[in-house]
Amino acid sequence: MTVPEILTYGAAEAARRLRDRELTSTELVGAVLERIAEVDPAVNAVRQVLADDALRAAAAADRRLAAGLPAGPLDGVPVTVKDNVDVAGSATTCGAAALADAVAYADAPVVANLRRAGAIPLARTTMPDFALRWHTDSGLTGATVNPWDAALTPGGSSGGEAVALATGMSVLGVGNDLGGSLRFPSMCAGTVALRPTLGRIPQATATVPAMSLQLIEVPGPMARRVADLWPAFAAMTAPDPRDPWYVPVPADHAPEAPRRIGVVREMPGVPYDPGVAAALDRAAGALAADGYEVLDVAPPALADAAETWARLMATDARRTWPAVEHLAAKDARRFMDLVFELVPRLDLDGYAELFTTRHRIARAWAEHQRRTPLVLAPVYARPLFRAGTDVDGPDAADAVISGLRATVAVNLLGLPAVAVPVGPVEVVPRGVQVIGPRFGERHCLAAVAVIEAAHPVRTPVDPAAGAGSARWTSADPAAMGPVGRGDPAEPGRRRRTGAAHPVRTPVDPRPPAPDQVR
């Protein structure tokens, strides 16, 4: 297979080319649909294609753009949407076969905001049943495949979205994050994702969520490149009256902060995968070379934050699980059994105390981030687990949860974080995240842009024919030859084939959720 050049464009570049009339939305949407037909049988990342609606919307966008009257900054750009985010007229299945006909009557706020910016919903992507696992396998669609190595997990719960982006079946994605569901699959796929501050992007579902979801889950953008996250984030932050937690902070607002970042070099009881440790080192080195003050200092109470998150999730899940257990597939039920075995049952006083603990830790982090605003941490510290082994037993489930310690701590505290892969790739990508203070998304994006520029991972890739054999290829025959030939700002003009390391040579640095029931 060869990735057509049109599918190497990120959302920001595609939007610019559409405005400049270098391509049409109909061409772009058609190319994505063709790529889905060609590639998805190998990776199973797309649950439903919205072809007719997308092509009609593309034709309308082309008429607006030809008249010089774009609907917004993303006019004509196709977007894929995770299957627990409502798209009007399409089923919101949450990965459950029992909800295959649960058609949404209205767009979720994030989808409505993207439509107003001109984006075009094109497909629904796969997820595990009710977003319950960090591995994407559901009773409705079956398993989604990691395009870099089919033996390893693609992550979850936004696994279909990340795989679609990594393989050129999406230009821009919508997911959500209750326990790392934006950031972990992005790390597995070699793509990027932004988890925003709680309340910054409005959200609403057909049912009123449990208290823990109200305080912890957020929607956010997923993409192949850091530059694509900003226009998506800016569009998504428009207000919506359906979200009482929405905070009307302008998208471009960020607190004043020095260029200082602390690195989480270790987490007691969690052995780091050597590849993850090396990725942290490379990311820290890139930031230091760009002028950041890099300190080996971790934020306070990281383990306590992760434990509090787990107890909140498990306690609310115990309340809601009996009503939905019969709708979930066997492995989803098995995973919940393991969670309930690992996390002790709490009484009302114990549950209430979790919110006191959350407040105490949030205050400690705020004081810490006043001095050291940014945190560089693993997304997943351990070696990537083999597909499906998260339900092998209590030890396997506990290893997954502990490997995500720095990730779920962010969820508890409602902070922003951006996941970014760090090249070079050895079999599968490794990634890091930059965590910011409340409303500090711009600071996070600036830091990960430096990391991406210094150590990029190139996508889209063709799915691996075997372990570690994913390939990046360009449709431009003039681009044949070693990486580094041509303009580094135009990845579609170079070709890399037959290698397990589809990575651009480094350049100089420059400025589940247990009760996620829909």
Side-chain angles (χ1 to χ4, degrees):
M1 278 183 255
T2 298
V3 181
E5 183 175 355
I6 192 173
L7 296 181
T8 68
Y9 305 149
E13 182 180 2
R16 178 191 64 75
R17 289 177 179 268
L18 288 165
R19 288 192 300 271
D20 293 346
R21 309 303 294 150
E22 296 177 17
L23 76 158
T24 67
S25 179
T26 299
E27 291 170 339
L28 181 57
V29 167
V32 175
L33 291 171
E34 288 179 9
R35 180 69 174 174
I36 292 172
E38 180 183 29
V39 171
D40 195 61
V43 293
N44 191 32
V46 175
R47 200 268 304 171
Q48 181 186 17
V49 173
L50 310 174
D52 292 343
D53 289 347
L55 288 168
R56 280 194 295 269
D62 287 333
R63 290 192 293 271
R64 291 191 299 270
L65 290 162
L69 299 170
L74 294 172
D75 204 6
V77 175
V79 59
T80 49
V81 184
K82 185 179 178 181
D83 222 10
N84 63 353
V85 179
D86 288 342
V87 176
S90 169
T92 300
T93 73
C94 300
L99 300 181
D101 297 321
V103 176
Y105 63 87
D107 288 335
V110 66
V111 174
N113 286 344
L114 285 169
R115 282 197 205 263
R116 279 191 286 270
I120 300 171
L122 179 140
R124 310 300 305 274
T125 52
T126 57
M127 59 179 288
D129 296 68
F130 299 115
L132 293 176
R133 297 169 65 189
W134 286 282
H135 173 63
T136 298
D137 187 353
S138 81
L140 177 64
T141 60
T144 297
V145 176
N146 187 319
W148 299 86
D149 188 334
L152 300 177
T153 183
S157 61
S158 306
E161 198 61 58
V163 170
L165 287 161
T167 55
M169 297 190 294
S170 178
V171 177
L172 184 66
V174 177
N176 42 36
D177 196 310
L178 179 64
S181 293
L182 288 165
R183 292 161 288 156
F184 179 50
S186 296
M187 186 207 80
C188 297
T191 55
V192 298
L194 187 160
R195 183 211 138 86
T197 304
L198 175 68
R200 193 141 201 194
I201 294 177
Q203 65 175 334
T205 60
T207 59
V208 177
M211 177 63 76
S212 57
L213 267 74
Q214 295 179 39
L215 294 176
I216 293 174
E217 186 192 36
V218 294
M222 304 173 72
R224 283 194 294 270
R225 302 175 189 168
V226 171
D228 301 327
L229 294 174
W230 173 254
F233 169 72
M236 290 177 176
T237 57
D240 191 294
R242 290 174 287 175
D243 186 358
W245 288 103
Y246 176 73
V247 182
V249 175
D252 60 356
H253 169 79
E256 293 292 329
R259 299 178 86 224
R260 184 177 301 128
I261 189 165
V263 185
V264 182
R265 299 279 187 187
E266 60 181 12
M267 294 184 289
V270 182
Y272 278 29
D273 173 61
V276 171
L280 275 174
D281 287 343
R282 292 194 296 274
L287 292 166
D290 197 67
Y292 281 81
E293 183 181 359
V294 178
L295 308 174
D296 285 343
V297 56
L302 200 56
D304 288 347
E307 181 180 6
T308 302
W309 174 88
R311 291 186 172 194
L312 275 172
M313 296 296 96
T315 302
D316 273 340
R318 282 188 168 99
R319 293 176 52 246
T320 59
W321 186 237
V324 297
E325 180 179 6
H326 66 289
L327 303 177
K330 177 182 176 182
D331 282 348
R333 297 195 301 271
R334 170 63 173 158
F335 184 77
M336 290 309 301
D337 288 343
L338 295 173
V339 169
F340 294 150
E341 182 177 345
L342 290 167
V343 182
R345 182 182 293 273
L346 299 178
D347 59 16
L348 180 59
D349 287 344
Y351 181 66
E353 186 62 29
L354 294 175
F355 295 94
T356 302
T357 301
R358 177 181 181 270
H359 186 91
R360 173 179 55 79
I361 297 172
R363 177 180 292 181
W365 270 63
E367 290 293 331
H368 171 82
Q369 289 186 295
R370 185 169 61 176
R371 301 182 299 273
T372 308
L374 298 178
V375 177
L376 178 65
V379 174
Y380 185 71
R382 295 179 181 271
L384 201 57
F385 58 90
R386 294 182 68 82
T389 58
D390 56 318
V391 294
D392 277 358
D395 290 345
D398 185 59
V400 174
I401 296 171
S402 66
L404 290 161
R405 180 181 295 172
T407 293
V408 298
V410 172
N411 291 81
L412 178 80
L413 303 174
L415 297 175
V418 180
V420 64
V422 182
V425 173
E426 296 177 1
V427 182
V428 291
R430 262 74 170 200
V432 299
Q433 61 182 323
V434 172
I435 305 162
R438 292 182 71 220
F439 309 114
E441 285 87 350
R442 290 189 67 180
H443 299 311
C444 296
L445 289 168
V448 296
V450 170
I451 297 169
E452 178 186 65
H455 302 291
V457 171
R458 180 183 291 154
T459 53
V461 295
D462 287 331
S469 61
R471 302 185 307 142
W472 188 95
T473 59
S474 166
D476 182 0
M480 293 288 287
V483 172
R485 181 178 178 180
D487 181 357
E490 293 289 342
R493 302 195 183 282
R494 294 189 300 279
R495 181 172 183 172
R496 176 85 174 226
T497 62
H501 311 288
V503 180
R504 193 184 330 163
T505 303
V507 298
D508 292 335
R510 61 175 184 268
D515 63 344
Q516 189 170 358
V517 179
R518 292 288 181 269

